[in-house]
Amino acid sequence: QRRGRLQLPSIGSPSVCCAAMRSLMMTVLSIFAAGAARTLATEATCAASGSGREHMLMQVRPAQSSSVEAVSSDVVSHGYKSRVLVTDEDADAGSERLHVQSWYSLFWCPPHSHQNEAYHVPLYSDSFVPVLASYPPGNQVVTQAIIVIHGAPRETEGYFGDMVRVVHHQQQEGHTLVVAPTWADKACSAGAWSNRLGAPVQHDYQAPYWTSVRRWMYGGPSDARNSSSFDVLDTVVDWVQDKYPHLNRIVVTGFSAGAQYLVRWAAMSPEGANGVTRRRSLPLVVIAGSPSTLLYLSEERPVDACVTDWDQGQYQNCNDFHIPKPGYDCESRWNRYATGIGGLHWRASSPGHIRYVANQYLRKSIDATSNAEVSQQIRVRWGTKDIRFLFGARDTVHCDVGACSNDCEHMLTGTSRLQRGLNFMGYLKRLFPDYQPVWGIYHGGHSAILAYSSDYFTAWAIEEDCTPEGVDPYASGALVKCCKDLVKTYGLHGTGWNHYICKPASL
């Protein structure tokens, strides 16, 4: 399973196995792509191995096409309208895999419950970024800003409200600005988003939107134009410096899918080099919470001993890394962006693909043509940035059961979010001998509010040290209990798993 193949015990002849799986897959696809305009072709290959088990690889692709296209249908559930996307996100990498992404959209235009905090951030010459801000532009009191990035369902209002409550709980709201930008997943006009129309934004300006989660997470193009999602955060970082004149510090944070975006933005963006912003040289801290996938900065990956199917929890410690051998390298995809940084050199892909657009974005701040030069400059810049990580002590659900990406190239880095995160900390120490990654473990599962109410986040982001006496808030890897007791929660991410998480004492 770790190598991207589903291994099944012998249940009959290969032909019976193939027929059964083909029938099952076509049934599932007919449900999720009901009403779609395109047909889907299914290929299944079965081969017997020497171990007596059948190995099955199911490949599904758009009929007679390998271009980047999408098949979608709308599903209404629990009051939210969701677009079920079937999109070939790997066409630029030569893969024929088809990704099915289904999220309940939690982006509302206009905002559902924060209309008074809705503002426009001008983007390019004819569009805008929808943001929520806890203080209006021009405020003369705030001295620090926390920019919080939403997750895959684009739940901007939820993350904004949670961060405002966290700041209030620490009694720091008097001088702390909370800003939540949105990478929309559907059309939204400036007039619909808010009545506060600041020049040069006009009523008919549109927000860029990304119906594909992977495209916005990886710096890919929006649906309407060939520009990177990384431009959005660069623009918001500039905006808060322009509109809040007394700021002296900026924190940018994301959790889960937001952290996946943030790790790649931190590697690709010129913002934060030498620990400061470009515009006013303000300290810039990046805090990534429990990302499902990470961006490796070289060809090395954890050895098999570091990628186990059993849970080693917070005691995971990986010091050995290697370059995957042929046959175990995910069909040579293991280091392609956005798992690694391979293929980011000039003309590495075609217009409209994620890697091409990420390359165009990167070339605005890095003058290099070969993949080796690009990779080296990314590594050098990463080493100068203030990037910190938060991991949940109980964020250990195996990725093969749907808790996180189980693409072959990601499974080479670990089998759960916590394992992947701790492996990556060991990797950074190996990659940069003089570099000490900063990371902390909060007592809980995959929960943004638990991460953001932890002592680590408070000490790092809010500048109010509530860490228990005798505990160094900046000590890497110490398990700090930031709550009173454990409670049993049902339905992590709607999956129905029973999972123990930490109950915050006062939130």
Side-chain angles (χ1 to χ4, degrees):
Q1 292 173 329
R2 194 186 320 140
R3 302 304 181 191
R5 301 294 188 271
L6 179 62
Q7 298 183 1
L8 301 172
S10 298
I11 57 174
S13 68
S15 61
V16 173
C17 179
C18 285
M21 186 59 79
R22 183 182 296 111
S23 176
L24 174 61
M25 287 299 296
M26 292 308 296
T27 300
V28 171
L29 288 172
S30 67
I31 293 173
F32 280 99
R38 296 177 55 84
T39 60
L40 298 174
T42 305
E43 285 187 2
T45 59
C46 295
S49 72
S51 63
R53 293 174 178 264
E54 271 94 35
H55 296 255
M56 176 173 290
L57 169 64
M58 179 66 71
Q59 291 183 323
V60 187
R61 62 174 180 240
Q64 302 177 2
S65 174
S66 60
S67 61
V68 178
E69 297 187 16
V71 180
S72 66
S73 61
D74 290 332
V75 177
V76 178
S77 179
H78 304 295
Y80 299 119
K81 189 175 183 180
S82 171
R83 173 156 291 180
V84 180
L85 283 180
V86 184
T87 176
D88 188 355
E89 288 297 340
D90 292 310
D92 62 326
S95 169
E96 294 177 335
R97 292 175 302 156
L98 210 67
H99 295 279
V100 180
Q101 299 170 341
S102 175
W103 299 100
Y104 296 138
S105 175
L106 298 181
F107 170 61
W108 299 82
C109 182
H112 186 259
S113 57
H114 291 280
Q115 295 91 340
N116 292 333
E117 290 89 15
Y119 296 93
H120 309 95
V121 175
L123 179 69
Y124 313 125
S125 61
D126 57 355
S127 57
F128 77 103
V129 181
V131 301
L132 300 176
S134 58
Y135 283 95
N139 181 277
Q140 302 292 313
V141 176
V142 294
T143 57
Q144 67 175 357
I146 299 176
I147 301 173
V148 59
I149 302 172
H150 56 67
R154 328 297 170 98
E155 64 279 46
T156 308
E157 295 186 70
Y159 273 87
F160 176 76
D162 285 346
M163 189 59 69
V164 167
R165 285 189 288 273
V166 167
V167 171
H168 173 75
H169 174 67
Q170 297 300 329
Q171 300 179 354
Q172 299 298 307
E173 71 272 22
H175 68 279
T176 302
L177 167 72
V178 176
V179 175
T182 297
W183 287 259
D185 58 1
K186 52 181 168 285
C188 177
S189 69
W193 178 249
S194 173
N195 289 325
R196 299 186 186 87
L197 297 179
V201 176
Q202 302 297 322
H203 264 59
D204 59 349
Y205 279 13
Q206 297 292 318
Y209 60 92
W210 290 260
T211 50
S212 165
V213 174
R214 289 195 180 203
R215 282 180 175 249
W216 80 258
M217 283 198 311
Y218 296 166
S222 66
D223 289 27
R225 64 193 308 161
N226 202 38
S227 53
S228 172
S229 64
F230 294 148
D231 287 333
V232 171
L233 188 51
D234 288 343
T235 300
V236 172
V237 169
D238 285 344
W239 181 79
V240 296
Q241 294 174 85
D242 292 341
K243 299 300 183 181
Y244 300 90
H246 295 293
L247 280 183
N248 55 38
R249 184 172 184 262
I250 298 175
V251 174
V252 183
T253 186
F255 186 86
S256 195
Q260 294 184 67
Y261 169 90
L262 196 54
V263 166
R264 290 160 177 86
W265 174 82
M268 305 282 279
S269 174
E271 288 290 353
N274 299 311
V276 297
T277 63
R278 290 178 299 170
R279 180 152 299 193
R280 288 172 48 192
S281 296
L282 301 182
L284 179 65
V285 180
V286 176
I287 305 176
S290 296
S292 167
T293 67
L294 293 144
L295 183 70
Y296 276 70
L297 306 178
S298 70
E299 295 182 336
E300 292 185 314
R301 297 295 182 272
V303 298
D304 284 353
C306 297
V307 185
T308 59
D309 288 328
W310 59 88
D311 172 26
Q312 293 179 309
Q314 61 180 305
Y315 303 106
Q316 175 81 12
N317 184 25
C318 185
N319 298 309
D320 297 321
F321 300 85
H322 69 152
I323 297 176
K325 298 178 181 179
Y328 298 91
D329 60 357
C330 306
E331 300 175 355
S332 301
R333 295 193 310 268
W334 93 98
N335 195 46
R336 289 178 178 173
Y337 184 79
T339 306
I341 54 177
L344 285 175
H345 54 287
W346 178 234
R347 293 182 178 176
S349 188
S350 303
H353 294 150
I354 292 175
R355 196 163 67 239
Y356 178 88
V357 173
N359 167 270
Q360 294 294 302
Y361 172 84
L362 194 61
R363 283 175 60 81
K364 293 189 294 185
S365 61
I366 286 183
D367 183 17
T369 55
S370 72
N371 200 60
E373 291 175 324
V374 171
S375 300
Q376 179 61 23
Q377 290 195 38
I378 290 175
R379 286 191 288 268
V380 169
R381 198 156 64 182
W382 175 285
T384 72
K385 296 190 176 187
D386 189 350
I387 306 172
R388 311 177 189 189
F389 293 86
L390 279 171
F391 308 114
R394 296 179 178 270
D395 199 353
T396 56
V397 178
H398 200 291
C399 293
D400 271 340
V401 295
C404 41
S405 171
N406 67 346
D407 287 350
C408 176
E409 51 267 42
H410 297 311
M411 295 300 284
L412 290 176
T413 68
T415 59
S416 70
R417 290 186 185 90
L418 179 58
Q419 188 180 93
R420 291 176 181 180
L422 296 182
N423 283 348
F424 191 67
M425 298 301 98
Y427 166 77
L428 290 176
K429 288 188 287 186
R430 166 72 173 266
L431 185 66
F432 305 110
D434 298 326
Y435 179 83
Q436 178 60 41
V438 179
W439 55 280
I441 295 181
Y442 64 90
H443 196 63
H446 196 65
S447 168
I449 189 61
L450 294 180
Y452 290 147
S453 59
S454 69
D455 295 329
Y456 281 112
F457 185 80
T458 299
W460 293 345
I462 307 179
E463 297 186 309
E464 176 70 13
D465 186 4
C466 65
T467 309
E469 184 177 355
V471 176
D472 180 4
Y474 296 95
S476 295
L479 178 64
V480 178
K481 291 187 177 181
C482 57
C483 52
K484 296 295 185 182
D485 57 352
L486 289 174
V487 295
K488 189 175 184 180
T489 184
Y490 183 77
L492 178 67
H493 280 328
T495 60
W497 301 317
N498 289 322
H499 200 63
Y500 286 92
I501 63 172
C502 191
K503 180 181 180 181
S506 54
L507 286 180

